[in-house]
Amino acid sequence: METVITAIEAKKGSRKQKIYVNGEWRFSLYPGQTYQYKLKEGMEISDLLYQQICKETLLPQAKKRVLNLLTARDRTRRELLEKLAGDGYPEEVCTTAVEYAESYHYVDDLRFAITYLRSYEEEKSHLQLLMKLKEKGILREVADKAFEMVREEREERMGEEFEEAEIVALRRQVAKKTKSAALSKQDAAKLFASLAAKGFSPSDIRSMFKQIKECGDRE
């Protein structure tokens, strides 16, 4: 099957041009690069020329793009792959560029997960944290290892005052929703349902409600 450049279009919001091959967007180049490779609509693009473009131009640009993205903030492997694909890099170029960054440990999903948990473990339930990591492309076994490592780190840091981060998160969530220990049954039921939907343990929620009520009674 022939591989023909069917269109060369300006990319909206960018100085690059979108190169379509057989009707599909294959990659993007700057106008000068399009001219350099003598690409024109209707011409057949050989596999040899395509590989040359990938090796000489697209891959170096993709590597630089990955490093720039990581300079801004830590990102997961999936986030980088999706970002590069959105920029118009072919799948094989995206994969090679990310693997390049991984070889220097610039990309490390375990490190990303640990950093994320350290930042948000006292704000969200275990389930919420797990789902967020999943959304970012973190594998379950990597997430589980991160949870274990962060918990051990927390236990060592707090010593005898150790308290599960999820309990702290639950307490904070309850504090946001109530200013008084005297919750009506209806309000308590709504709050209970809301917290349970966020992944907090029903037994932990009941225990928290009991603690709040006891504190109110003492006052």
Side-chain angles (χ1 to χ4, degrees), residues 61-73 75:
Q61 287 181 178
K63 288 179 177 179
K64 183 177 180 180
R65 176 64 169 148
V66 165
L67 296 180
N68 286 338
L69 288 168
L70 292 171
T71 297
R73 68 174 177 82
R75 297 174 191 264

Side-chain angles (χ1 to χ4, degrees), residues 57-187:
T57 301
L58 297 178
L59 183 55
Q61 287 181 178
K63 288 179 177 179
K64 183 177 180 180
R65 176 64 169 148
V66 165
L67 296 180
N68 286 338
L69 288 168
L70 292 171
T71 297
R73 68 174 177 82
D74 209 7
R75 297 174 191 264
T76 65
R77 176 185 174 86
R78 180 193 287 180
E79 287 179 322
L80 290 170
L81 289 172
E82 291 177 347
K83 193 69 176 176
L84 289 177
D87 288 341
Y89 292 102
E91 182 179 353
E92 62 270 29
V93 170
C94 297
T95 301
T96 304
V98 173
E99 287 176 348
Y100 163 78
E102 286 179 322
S103 70
Y104 288 95
H105 300 288
Y106 297 146
V107 184
D108 186 325
D109 281 1
L110 178 60
R111 184 184 66 219
F112 180 96
I114 289 172
T115 300
Y116 184 85
L117 293 179
R118 284 172 179 163
S119 299
Y120 298 103
E121 66 172 351
E122 292 189 351
E123 296 181 21
K124 303 177 185 294
S125 71
H126 184 98
L127 179 61
Q128 286 177 306
L129 293 168
L130 189 61
M131 295 305 294
K132 193 65 178 180
L133 291 176
K134 183 179 179 181
E135 287 175 13
K136 292 181 175 294
I138 303 296
L139 297 176
R140 179 59 186 264
E141 55 265 34
V142 175
D144 287 343
K145 185 174 182 179
F147 274 112
E148 180 182 348
M149 292 176 68
V150 171
R151 187 183 188 281
E152 289 177 354
E153 178 185 87
R154 179 184 180 84
E155 193 168 6
E156 183 177 345
R157 183 177 70 251
M158 297 182 69
E160 294 181 358
E161 297 180 355
F162 172 77
E163 183 177 34
E164 295 287 356
E166 188 166 33
I167 297 300
V168 177
L170 175 59
R171 185 181 298 113
R172 289 181 174 180
Q173 290 287 329
V174 171
K176 288 179 183 178
K177 299 296 183 180
T178 177
K179 302 298 181 182
S180 169
L183 278 173
S184 68
K185 287 186 177 181
Q186 184 177 7
D187 288 340

